[in-house]
Amino acid sequence: MATFLQALSFWDWLALGTVLLILEVFGAGGYLLWIGLAAACVGVLAFLLPGLPGEAQVLLFGLVSVLTALYWWYRQRRVIRTSDQPTLNLRGQELIGKTFVVHQAIANGRGRIKVADGVWIAKGADAPVGARVRVIGQEGSILLVENLD
């Protein structure tokens, strides 16, 4: 092992960094990016400091890997992600405030309304088929409606 560490050159680190970055391109989800950059940094340092022992290179690689990963984690936590579509994939929330037609009469507080090409269970005041209702809320997969007619 000691012979291997003494024989490490900057080419080894640059090759490792390149391989890790190529693997990252194939979909590692960011995990290999920082380790690949750390290997490339150690390769550059090994080129600039030719007398750097192999043990120090490996130690430096571990340290830079951890530091770059922590930097990215800290940076990601500071970014506030706001969406221009906060109800995306919350279909019931997207429907609040919109008007629809009763598909199956709302009787005893329950019925069905036609929404685009689907039918949703509706809960609200009794309404006949064809009446217009507005969605005012949601309870799970049930839409709360108010009668407009």
Side-chain angles (χ1 to χ4, degrees):
M1 184 69 163
T3 308
F4 172 74
L5 291 177
Q6 290 173 353
L8 282 176
S9 73
F10 69 93
W11 287 115
D12 296 324
W13 290 109
L14 293 177
L16 176 63
T18 302
V19 167
L20 289 171
L21 292 175
I22 288 171
L23 290 174
E24 175 63 36
V25 169
F26 290 112
Y31 299 110
L32 299 178
L33 174 66
W34 302 106
I35 299 172
L37 289 176
C41 287
V42 172
V44 169
L45 284 173
F47 176 75
L48 295 175
L49 305 169
L52 193 63
E55 294 86 359
Q57 292 177 25
V58 171
L59 185 62
L60 192 59
F61 171 66
L63 181 66
V64 173
S65 295
V66 169
L67 288 177
T68 55
L70 286 174
Y71 164 74
W72 184 249
W73 176 80
Y74 175 74
R75 188 168 182 270
Q76 288 294 89
R77 302 240 331 150
R78 284 188 43 214
V79 175
I80 297 172
R81 294 190 176 124
T82 57
S83 173
D84 59 340
Q85 297 178 334
T87 59
L88 184 65
N89 292 331
L90 299 172
R91 183 71 173 140
Q93 295 294 316
E94 290 178 345
L95 300 176
I96 293 176
K98 295 185 179 175
T99 302
F100 300 102
V101 175
V102 174
H103 181 70
Q104 178 185 345
I106 300 175
N108 298 323
R110 288 202 161 222
R112 295 183 185 272
I113 61 172
K114 180 90 167 141
V115 177
D117 61 346
V119 177
W120 283 64
I121 298 172
K123 183 176 175 184
D126 291 354
V129 173
R132 292 180 332 118
V133 293
R134 178 182 298 126
V135 177
I136 57 171
Q138 177 185 11
E139 288 179 356
S141 63
I142 299 172
L143 298 177
L144 305 176
V145 297
E146 67 179 356
N147 199 344
L148 295 177
D149 292 337

